[in-house]
């Protein structure tokens, strides 16, 4: 699932080398953290959060097939 988020994010941003995706188990859920460069935050979030919501929806669909709960967190690379 980490690879899917990475592919989606790299296709959206201007600086694909700055995209970092980490994955960890947080209790019973899989937590995927997506970090991008500050100028690319708007491209990943989208107007009114539509792109971010779409990414989360796709990941939840994949998670249902794999029978896990997934949480996608979008942050800024420091």
């Amino acid at each position: 699932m980490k690879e899917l988020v990475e592919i989606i994010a790299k296709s959206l941003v201007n600086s694909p080398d700055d995209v970092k995706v980490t994955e960890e188990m947080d209790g019973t859920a899989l937590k995927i953290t997506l970090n991008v460069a500050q100028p690319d935050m708007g491209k990943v979030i989208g107007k009114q959060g539509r792109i971010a919501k779409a990414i989360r929806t796709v990941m939840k669909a994949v998670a249902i097939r794999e029978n896990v709960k997934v949480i996608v967190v979008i942050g800024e690379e420091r």
Side-chain angles (χ1 to χ4, degrees):
M1 282 200 253
K2 173 183 169 184
E3 294 81 17
L4 180 58
V5 173
E6 193 169 354
I7 290 168
I8 293 170
K10 285 185 177 185
S11 68
L12 293 171
V13 299
N14 287 334
S15 305
D17 294 335
D18 292 337
V19 172
K20 304 233 180 343
V21 180
T22 58
E23 174 176 82
E24 63 184 70
M25 284 303 290
D26 186 22
T28 60
L30 178 64
K31 181 179 177 183
I32 299 174
T33 306
L34 168 63
N35 291 312
V36 297
Q38 197 279 329
D40 290 327
M41 283 298 292
K43 293 182 180 186
V44 173
I45 294 173
K47 290 185 180 180
Q48 298 178 352
R50 288 184 180 150
I51 305 273
K53 185 176 178 183
I55 292 171
R56 289 184 177 113
T57 302
V58 168
M59 295 312 299
K60 285 181 183 179
V62 172
I64 289 171
R65 292 191 67 175
E66 295 186 11
N67 202 24
V68 295
K69 183 178 179 188
V70 69
I71 301 168
V72 178
V73 179
I74 300 172
E76 177 182 316
E77 185 64 34
R78 305 196 191 286

